Amino acid sequence: MEIIIQDPQHIREAARAFIQNMPDSTVYAFYGKMGAGKTTFIKAVCQELGVEDEVTSPTFAIVNEYSIDKVQSSKFKVQCIYHFDFYRIKRLEEAYDIGFDDYIDSGNLCFIEWPELIEELLPEDAIRVEIEETDNGSRIVRF
């Protein structure tokens, strides 16, 4: 599937389209260059799913947890979303140290930025989501 985000004003609309078409998995690995919009898109998806907390990049914390009081979509029966950013890890053991396996086995949604760095830990059913910036500044989300 491919979703085109023409400009920032249409990101929530794109997030809704993403949610409606999300495959049946709880682990989503977001690939894209620095500045492609991974965090911004994940923020919009979280907001559309009912997260009321501020969604920020977990670059320094590695993982942020967002509570969901009521999921906007009946497709997901989750209590929280785990948002990972592995950009700063130096060793695979750092993912083990934070209990990554427990997070992905929790049944809650897991959105992972920079999954290239922990790819061997991803479950087989993880969904690959690619975000690409085009020459005109729009974004293409493929999954």
Side-chain angles (χ1 to χ4, degrees):
M1 168 119 203
E2 188 173 279
I3 299 170
I4 297 175
I5 307 169
Q6 293 296 336
D7 53 51
Q9 290 78 16
H10 292 96
I11 195 160
R12 296 285 295 262
E13 179 182 312
R16 284 190 294 276
F18 179 77
I19 292 165
Q20 290 171 354
N21 293 285
M22 287 171 74
D24 190 23
S25 179
T26 57
V27 180
Y28 293 81
F30 288 81
Y31 294 82
K33 293 181 180 177
M34 181 75 73
K38 296 179 295 293
T39 301
T40 303
F41 187 68
I42 289 171
K43 177 179 181 175
V45 170
C46 288
Q47 290 170 335
E48 288 299 316
L49 286 171
V51 171
E52 294 180 4
D53 299 328
E54 182 179 0
V55 177
T56 60
S57 174
T59 300
F60 294 101
I62 300 179
V63 62
N64 287 344
E65 179 179 338
Y66 309 118
S67 297
I68 302 175
D69 292 328
K70 57 179 182 174
V71 175
Q72 302 297 330
S73 168
S74 61
K75 182 176 185 176
F76 300 102
K77 305 292 184 212
V78 298
Q79 297 177 349
C80 65
I81 296 171
Y82 298 117
H83 178 194
F84 298 87
D85 185 332
F86 287 111
Y87 181 73
R88 295 195 181 280
I89 70 165
K90 303 288 186 234
R91 302 176 346 271
L92 195 58
E93 290 76 26
E94 291 178 66
Y96 287 116
D97 290 346
I98 65 162
F100 182 70
D101 289 341
D102 294 331
Y103 286 111
I104 62 170
D105 291 338
S106 70
N108 288 300
L109 287 171
C110 296
F111 296 146
I112 304 165
E113 296 185 50
W114 300 103
E116 305 83 337
L117 302 173
I118 54 102
E119 206 147 66
E120 64 190 71
L121 301 180
L122 294 176
E124 287 183 25
D125 67 341
I127 304 302
R128 182 182 183 96
V129 181
E130 295 180 25
I131 300 179
E132 175 188 349
E133 182 177 11
T134 65
D135 291 339
N136 68 4
S138 65
R139 304 302 198 266
I140 301 172
V141 180
R142 293 184 185 96
F143 58 102

